[in-house]
Amino acid sequence: MPILDRFSLKNKVSMVTGGNRGIGRAIVQGLAEAGSAIVIVGRDAEKSAVAVEEIRKLGVDAIALEADMAKRDEIESATQAALKHFGQIDVLVNNAGIGFHANALTLPDEEWERLFSINLEGVWKASQIVGRHMVERKQGSIINIGSISGEIINRPQWHSPYGISKAAVHHLTRSLAAEWASSNVRVNAIAPGYVRTEIASTEYEDYRHYWKDEVPMARYGKPEEIAPIALLLASEASSFVTGSVIVVDGGYTLW
Ligand code: NDP
């Protein structure tokens, strides 16, 4: 097969959690441009509807489904609705996530539990629910959006629950990759550095020295710079890649 054809997602269906804005929205755009039908899963129905309209203009089918990734029954219902509409899910991008700065001495349990229910348990539950379908079909690619915060300790801000959740996502990735490799289901992760979105907003301009100026490439990443890596992992172009965590950070973790 010619090499560029191996990146094609024609006749594939991709489900992207948190696909209505930020990195998830850029990934949705990239996968749709490669020919994939799209399922956007998120809580903000209005934003998801706008994204779906834009994606349909590319000539692929797209639907939006409402689900809170912290709730198993909602993930289950969204998966069933996606399968009813498309009959298959080939690619799952576990992108939905939250982050906040936190002092380890004072963080209330409720905040820790809220973050883990989305960033880690949401990824686990969606992988399990969609993974059952993929393992049965003996076909699928799961892409988890981790973070450099799962590899290093960021500075100057403290956000240990976020980093711990992303480190766990990286290990979840390796664990499921090993368990499902014989079923032809690949599981990989992308670990972005600082990418300009609502999570890493301008609110933190005081940290610019550490987040941007000190980075070898001396700039923030753009959501559209994460999308091609997701396409690589979603497509046959990465048919021998599983259990990998690909760092996309402009060199941040080099120093
Ligand atoms: P945004 O805040 O811009 O977008 C987050 C997305 O997640 C939204 O679409 C939101 O949709 C969805 N979401 C959040 N909570 C839930 C939930 N409980 N259920 C369903 N959907 C939810 O973030 P980014 O695009 O910046 O981040 C995307 C991913 O990338 C996250 O996992 C983040 O940790 C990771 N990341 C980001 C970096 C950055 O610098 N931006 C760096 C490294 C990793 P809705 O509001 O509709 O629920």
Side-chain angles (χ1 to χ4, degrees):
M1 196 192 284
I3 193 146
L4 289 181
D5 291 354
R6 298 176 70 189
F7 289 86
S8 170
L9 293 181
K10 217 164 163 235
N11 302 320
K12 304 284 187 197
V13 179
S14 304
M15 178 187 266
V16 183
T17 72
N20 58 24
R21 65 167 196 258
I23 291 173
R25 176 67 185 84
I27 290 175
V28 158
Q29 184 75 21
L31 303 186
E33 285 182 20
S36 180
I38 298 291
V39 181
I40 291 178
V41 181
R43 293 168 305 180
D44 186 335
E46 217 170 289
K47 238 178 203 156
S48 296
V50 171
V52 157
E53 278 314 304
E54 288 166 1
I55 291 302
R56 284 188 181 147
K57 286 184 194 144
L58 297 171
V60 296
D61 195 2
I63 59 171
L65 298 168
E66 257 183 88
D68 182 339
M69 296 313 292
K71 298 188 176 145
R72 177 177 282 278
D73 57 334
E74 296 189 15
I75 303 170
E76 188 85 60
S77 304
T79 305
Q80 289 314 320
L83 288 173
K84 192 167 177 215
H85 187 88
F86 288 113
Q88 67 194 61
I89 300 169
D90 301 280
V91 177
L92 168 66
V93 184
N94 283 312
N95 162 77
I98 61 168
F100 49 76
H101 298 176
N103 181 327
L105 291 175
T106 54
L107 181 79
D109 283 349
E110 300 73 45
E111 286 295 275
W112 168 279
E113 284 155 14
R114 184 170 72 89
L115 184 137
F116 271 78
S117 71
I118 299 167
N119 286 17
L120 179 60
E121 290 165 30
V123 174
W124 168 259
K125 289 171 187 167
S127 300
Q128 187 181 56
I129 291 164
V130 178
R132 284 179 186 137
H133 161 75
M134 291 178 166
V135 165
E136 197 182 311
R137 277 182 83 216
K138 294 208 174 307
Q139 184 178 322
S141 171
I142 297 177
I143 302 159
N144 299 321
I145 307 303
S147 170
I148 55 166
S149 308
E151 301 288 318
I152 49 105
I153 305 301
N154 300 77
R155 61 182 184 150
Q157 77 280 14
W158 302 125
H159 52 49
S160 54
Y162 181 77
I164 296 165
S165 74
K166 292 299 186 178
V169 164
H170 295 178
H171 208 61
L172 179 157
T173 301
R174 291 184 278 263
S175 304
L176 298 187
E179 197 165 332
W180 296 342
S182 60
S183 301
N184 195 33
V185 175
R186 297 184 297 108
V187 187
N188 292 289
I190 301 173
Y194 289 102
V195 177
R196 245 318 144 74
T197 63
E198 287 176 40
I199 256 186
S201 75
T202 48
E203 194 184 324
Y204 306 121
E205 204 51 45
D206 286 356
Y207 300 156
R208 180 195 147 107
H209 170 71
Y210 298 95
W211 290 17
K212 183 176 164 191
D213 301 342
E214 273 208 344
V215 181
M217 289 186 75
R219 65 174 177 86
Y220 294 111
K222 300 178 202 144
E224 57 268 30
E225 290 178 300
I226 307 299
I229 313 302
L231 174 59
L232 167 70
L233 294 174
S235 68
E236 276 304 297
S238 60
S239 52
F240 198 48
V241 181
T242 199
S244 291
V245 178
I246 301 184
V247 173
V248 185
D249 68 349
Y252 186 97
T253 49
L254 295 176
W255 288 341

